[in-house]
Amino acid sequence: MTEALPSAIELARLVEILAPALSQGRRRKGRLVTGRARAFFTSKGCTNVYVPFPLPAVGDKRVSAVRVATCGLALQSSPTKEALAELPLGDLRPAERAALSLVEGEVAMAWAIERFAGLEHDLRALLPTLRPASTLAGRLVIAQGGFLADGRALVVAALERTRAGTPADLIVPELLGLPPLDVSARRSLSSHFRVLGRMPYSVRRSQPRPTVFGIPVGGTDGARSRNLPPRERPDESDPEPSADRRIGIPYDEWNRFTRRYRRGHVSVVERRVATGEGKPLRPAPEILRWFRQSPSHVWRSRLEDGIELDVDAFVDECAARAAGNPVTGRVYRSLDHGDRDVATAILLDASASLGADGGLHLRLQLACADALATALAHTGESHAVFAFSGQGRHRVEVSVLKDFHEPRAVVPGSTGLKTAGYTRLGAPIRHVTKRLLAAPAERRILLSLGDGLPSDEGYEGEYAWGDVRRAVEEAEEAGVTVYHIGVGRVRVDPLKECFGLHRSRRVVSVRDLPRVMAQVHERLRAA
Amino acid sequence: MRPFEPASLSTLREGKAPTSFYKESRNEKAVFRAAFAARAPLLLTGPTGCGKTRLVEHMAEELERPLFTVSCHDDLTSSDLVGRFLVHGGDVEWIDGPLTRAVRQGAFCYLDEVIEARRDTLAVLHSLTDHRRSLYLDRINERLPAADGFMLICSYNPASRSALKEMKPSFRQRFVSLDLGYLPEEDEAFVVATEAGVSASFAQQLVHVATVLRQAAHEGTFEPPSTRTVVTAGRLIVEGLEPRAAIHAAILEPLFSGNVVDTALQELIAALVPEGAGA
């Protein structure tokens, strides 16, 4: 089987869809992991599953790259992961850990083959040294699609194998991945130094993870920031990123000083926001009125069929018939949609700097996005709403508030979005551009909102401006019209530098945002 | 259980099944009968192909009413429902639309995917869905009271793509509502076995494929495969098509959207249905 290797964004999407389907919903999220220490693994709470990118190379060329991912995901979906995750296994020696991977892998393989008969051939080809085992010590453990024994049975078998085997027997194929232990449980000495030694991310030094609720290093210009910590769900959260194992889709970053890309420098995690929780509120009328767009209906006359008799055409027709001229039969008129094939993506800045004034900026951004989304839904135009924030280059989060093909109109404001983290603007622009390009449309608009001040660890000043500029150029080259609306007063305005004179505008008073945003969008749409 | 062991084709349907077989998931027939007796319009909601149309056909047969079905679409206008003037030689003549005919005859009028119709279209239904129970034909200036036995039934798929235009609550409140979902796996397998004529175990495997795809539909934001497509796949297999090809043609291909989601779907089918399995 020869086919093109999937790109990072394609594989991320693939994994996202396959993970819950292969596990009957036990794994809710599938994500990519990049870096030197990448591997297949399942999170401690067994809700998330990770797939390495690039995928491990396999000896058997007949198995496609996509199938490798599917097989890896099938193995990670095995109920043996849940059985192991319950056990305290932090103290295993490397050899025991490897043996456990192998024993668990063989049972998982038996489970996968039983459930997904179509993968049997490929699994055997990819893991030629493994013998799928549906029994452990003579006891049946895999039946009816489930794992019948206790996780301890696996550990006992693994310890036995460690005693019996030579180191050569304990080589774990990459496809098996890591056992579901807390992969970030053990921090090295150097990582402690790194965390302690770096610039303070937060005024609250007592927080164990200073990056999450940080306010910008440069402060918020005296404004008060009320960043409440989000609800903690330790079981569902991703393991902490590190330089050699990062979750998400890799993106390049432009270094204007060396005039070179830093390949795979930034990791973007796309997060789907559950829209069911918030109540579906309608945007406030004083904001909505700016965005009200009537579906462009046009009367078309002299049609073969239509909703009404076209009296003029009918009279002409009668006259023509009376005069003995040929008649056409086109005597109806109809009300048609004026077609505009435009896809719009709205990118909101949800970083901590927008949390100033008790979150007024973000609330108004959301209100405008609500109004625009409602207006676009009304005219039936394709649109999506994204929001981003980040914690350094290893984790830039892009939340999908409403996807292009999302079935129903989603009001972004109802999603309970909170401000947190930093502004690494280049990567979200690149990511949303990719998403826009995948949406079927004739023309594409990326409307970005925020204070327009890129700031992150190692992402400030001219370096950051240069990267944003480059990201905008890439988007324009790909045929996406980018426009940025800067919100709020700033001391030094990088908008012109980043987006160009005709591609940006600053709104000093946030109250002007609805009017400006509606005008800008209408102009871009009509262009 | 190993999926897709060769199916026994000897279980082919003998003779003709009752034309309107309907497997109840809750009490929908009772609700339907009560709504009919109370002369209340009915709104059926539920995902594509879960049996909304089948319920209406079944009940029309049971209650012995003629049925006019209109599949609504983007450009469906009120004159498509009510009627219009057609040109005959040098003259024009009024022709009743399906809704008008149902009102005159006392038949069932079923508007499938009513949300798809243009907004202005639904306004003609207002006088039919309240105490007035009459239809006003503005073009010929006639008020038409609904004959006995007339019933308006609308269906609407809340998750459908074009539900971008959400249904107004004021409109929904005019209807008695009945929410249908996919049947539980065993019941759906029974329906597939009966409708397609495949063996019970084989039907179960087909339904299992659909269930897995429905799980993926949530993340993949595509329309979940309907019971109808599963039945069609079963029929293709009975006609001698290889199971994987049948599933591909009947269930998978209609879900394709030309992006990476297609690859994900193909992978799922490849995992669930081994090549060359089945008949």
Side-chain angles (χ1 to χ4, degrees):
Chain A
M1 241 186 270
T2 51
E3 57 181 274
L5 291 175
S7 68
I9 194 164
E10 281 169 349
L11 188 65
R13 185 94 182 96
L14 198 73
V15 168
E16 215 172 69
I17 298 169
L18 288 180
L22 290 173
S23 63
Q24 287 184 301
R26 283 178 293 120
R27 312 272 177 274
R28 286 203 286 277
K29 286 175 197 144
R31 299 238 159 99
L32 293 194
V33 49
T34 55
R36 209 161 29 82
R38 64 178 185 270
F40 284 101
F41 65 94
T42 304
S43 67
K44 186 88 173 93
C46 291
T47 52
N48 298 4
V49 56
Y50 301 89
V51 172
F53 179 84
L55 287 159
V58 287
D60 198 325
K61 290 291 167 221
R62 282 164 302 171
V63 183
S64 71
V66 170
R67 186 58 50 81
V68 172
T70 310
C71 288
L73 277 169
L75 292 174
Q76 292 297 325
S77 304
S78 152
T80 48
K81 300 288 175 198
E82 273 93 344
L84 280 188
E86 292 167 358
L87 304 175
L89 294 172
D91 296 327
L92 289 183
R93 288 184 294 124
E96 291 163 349
R97 205 176 260 242
L100 182 62
S101 283
L102 288 170
V103 169
E104 190 268 335
E106 289 181 346
V107 177
M109 193 171 164
W111 177 85
I113 289 175
E114 202 232 80
R115 229 180 126 65
F116 309 111
L119 294 181
E120 177 168 0
H121 183 261
D122 293 325
L123 278 169
R124 284 186 194 278
L126 292 170
L127 301 167
T129 54
L130 255 61
R131 294 177 304 275
S134 51
T135 55
L136 273 182
R139 265 188 67 208
L140 188 70
V141 288
I142 289 294
Q144 303 285 317
F147 178 61
L148 304 179
D150 190 341
R152 272 171 285 198
L154 291 168
V155 181
V156 170
L159 294 178
E160 245 163 55
R161 188 175 293 201
T162 326
R163 275 194 292 277
T166 59
D169 298 334
L170 297 178
I171 295 169
V172 183
E174 256 186 283
L175 192 68
L176 289 186
L178 307 171
L181 314 173
D182 196 349
V183 286
S184 57
R186 293 181 164 201
R187 253 204 209 151
S188 63
L189 194 62
S190 62
S191 84
H192 274 291
F193 274 116
R194 199 169 56 80
V195 171
L196 289 173
R198 68 178 169 206
M199 248 178 150
Y201 268 139
S202 165
V203 286
R204 296 175 62 187
R205 295 295 295 269
S206 59
Q207 280 164 2
R209 263 189 232 163
T211 56
V212 182
F213 328 112
I215 56 168
V217 179
T220 55
D221 275 356
R224 288 178 62 180
S225 168
R226 273 187 237 158
N227 287 320
L228 291 175
R231 261 184 300 168
E232 279 278 342
R233 288 187 189 154
D235 282 356
E236 289 179 26
S237 59
D238 294 318
E240 271 208 62
S242 63
D244 57 0
R245 181 187 290 137
R246 306 183 310 166
I247 313 299
I249 304 163
Y251 281 96
D252 300 344
E253 195 166 274
W254 177 253
N255 186 342
R256 68 179 292 176
F257 302 115
T258 60
R259 308 199 58 73
R260 257 197 220 125
Y261 280 110
R262 303 169 91 169
R263 297 283 168 205
H265 192 64
V266 193
S267 247
V268 172
V269 176
E270 195 176 289
R271 214 163 55 92
R272 249 156 237 282
V273 177
T275 46
E277 288 178 20
K279 47 181 187 297
L281 29 100
R282 269 185 82 74
E286 68 269 20
I287 292 177
L288 194 58
R289 76 189 166 106
W290 292 107
F291 293 92
R292 208 174 286 286
Q293 292 160 349
S294 57
S296 41
H297 280 161
V298 221
W299 276 107
R300 298 205 307 164
S301 43
R302 293 177 193 273
L303 301 173
E304 271 172 18
D305 191 15
I307 58 172
E308 260 186 27
L309 196 64
D310 184 347
V311 177
D312 286 350
F314 182 61
V315 171
D316 288 353
E317 197 91 335
C318 290
R321 190 177 289 111
N325 290 336
V327 288
T328 57
R330 299 164 78 95
V331 291
Y332 293 95
R333 61 183 207 140
S334 190
L335 200 58
D336 278 354
H337 307 284
D339 279 333
R340 262 183 189 159
D341 193 7
V342 184
T344 306
I346 307 168
L347 178 63
L348 306 178
D349 181 350
S351 62
S353 52
L354 271 290
D357 294 334
L360 175 71
H361 283 52
L362 183 73
R363 278 210 308 273
L364 200 74
Q365 269 193 37
L366 280 172
C368 289
D370 285 356
L372 186 55
T374 311
L376 290 175
H378 181 64
T379 53
E381 277 184 49
S382 168
H383 64 290
V385 185
F386 301 91
F388 76 94
S389 73
Q391 302 154 38
R393 71 182 181 96
H394 297 324
R395 192 176 175 93
V396 172
E397 272 190 15
V398 174
S399 313
V400 188
L401 305 184
K402 187 213 166 288
D403 210 342
F404 288 105
H405 35 247
E406 202 103 41
R408 52 171 64 216
V410 173
V411 184
S414 67
T415 52
L417 191 73
K418 290 233 169 68
T419 54
Y422 297 89
T423 317
R424 204 175 194 100
L425 191 49
I429 291 180
R430 290 192 177 95
H431 182 70
V432 173
T433 302
K434 280 260 169 70
R435 295 292 310 270
L436 260 171
L437 291 175
E442 217 170 89
R443 293 186 45 239
R444 299 178 173 89
I445 299 173
L446 167 53
L447 190 59
S448 152
L449 270 83
D451 55 7
L453 289 177
S455 93
D456 195 3
E457 191 188 29
Y459 195 79
E460 303 229 338
E462 286 196 22
Y463 173 84
W465 299 5
D467 177 52
V468 175
R469 170 107 221 172
R470 188 70 181 194
V472 171
E473 282 167 9
E474 286 166 24
E476 300 267 343
E477 257 166 48
V480 174
T481 311
V482 183
Y483 199 99
H484 184 90
I485 301 179
V487 183
R489 208 185 289 276
V490 287
R491 293 203 194 103
V492 186
D493 195 349
L495 283 192
K496 286 194 184 94
E497 175 92 5
C498 291
F499 294 91
L501 197 57
H502 305 292
R503 289 273 171 258
S504 64
R505 185 158 167 190
R506 183 159 290 281
V507 185
V508 178
S509 160
V510 284
R511 270 168 281 279
D512 289 339
L513 184 60
R515 182 177 52 84
V516 172
M517 192 170 157
Q519 279 173 359
V520 165
H521 185 254
E522 190 48 49
R523 218 182 66 211
L524 294 178
R525 219 165 64 111
Chain B
M1 177 184 81
R2 276 178 65 95
F4 297 96
E5 297 286 57
S8 81
L9 294 182
S10 57
T11 45
L12 262 172
R13 197 166 46 193
E14 301 251 335
K16 202 163 164 271
T19 45
S20 69
F21 154 76
Y22 182 80
K23 175 94 189 159
E24 234 180 338
S25 72
R26 283 203 320 270
N27 58 344
E28 52 264 30
K29 283 195 200 176
V31 173
F32 199 112
R33 278 186 217 112
F36 176 69
R39 300 171 152 208
L42 186 68
L43 180 67
L44 303 175
T45 58
T48 313
C50 72
K52 299 188 290 282
T53 305
R54 177 54 74 96
L55 173 66
V56 175
E57 284 170 2
H58 180 79
M59 294 310 290
E61 204 167 317
E62 188 190 299
L63 298 166
E64 297 180 332
R65 305 307 315 164
L67 174 65
F68 291 91
T69 301
V70 181
S71 302
C72 299
H73 53 83
D74 277 355
D75 288 321
L76 187 92
T77 61
S78 53
S79 42
D80 290 329
L81 290 178
V82 169
R84 67 179 60 174
F85 285 107
L86 284 185
V87 180
H88 265 278
D91 218 346
V92 289
E93 187 192 355
W94 173 259
I95 302 290
D96 279 345
L99 180 66
T100 314
R101 264 184 275 170
V103 169
R104 279 191 213 276
Q105 293 177 22
F108 281 5
C109 182
Y110 175 48
L111 305 182
D112 198 6
E113 301 297 347
V114 71
I115 192 72
E116 297 279 352
R118 267 157 56 159
R119 281 172 171 238
D120 48 331
T121 311
L122 301 185
V124 300
L125 301 178
H126 285 186
S127 60
L128 274 174
T129 48
D130 54 28
H131 63 279
R132 288 172 281 178
R133 252 176 86 84
S134 61
L135 179 65
Y136 178 60
L137 307 172
D138 59 345
R139 297 210 172 87
I140 53 175
N141 193 21
E142 187 183 339
R143 181 167 293 282
L144 202 62
D148 251 359
F150 167 77
M151 183 172 180
L152 180 70
I153 305 130
C154 296
S155 83
Y156 151 61
N157 173 3
S160 122
R161 203 162 281 209
S162 51
L164 273 176
K165 20 181 187 180
E166 295 227 358
M167 198 175 248
K168 280 190 197 159
S170 59
F171 184 72
R172 289 188 66 166
Q173 285 196 14
R174 293 171 169 274
F175 291 84
V176 171
S177 285
L178 194 52
D179 185 33
L180 303 179
Y182 295 119
L183 291 167
E185 245 181 81
E186 316 85 76
D187 288 349
E188 191 175 353
F190 174 73
V191 170
V192 172
T194 317
E195 288 280 304
V198 291
S199 71
S201 67
F202 199 85
Q204 225 156 31
Q205 288 154 14
L206 278 175
V207 170
H208 179 65
V209 170
T211 315
V212 172
L213 291 178
R214 282 172 201 158
Q215 188 103 45
H218 184 67
E219 276 300 323
T221 51
F222 55 85
E223 195 100 328
S226 62
T227 307
R228 183 180 356 194
T229 59
V230 182
V231 169
T232 313
R235 288 205 179 119
L236 293 182
I237 293 166
V238 168
E239 292 303 328
L241 201 59
E242 197 243 331
R244 196 154 164 179
I247 290 172
H248 206 280
I251 302 181
L252 220 49
E253 202 77 42
L255 301 177
F256 279 178
S257 50
N259 54 35
V260 68
V261 179
D262 302 358
T263 320
L265 291 173
Q266 275 166 335
E267 283 299 301
L268 281 177
I269 295 300
L272 288 166
V273 193
E275 221 157 338

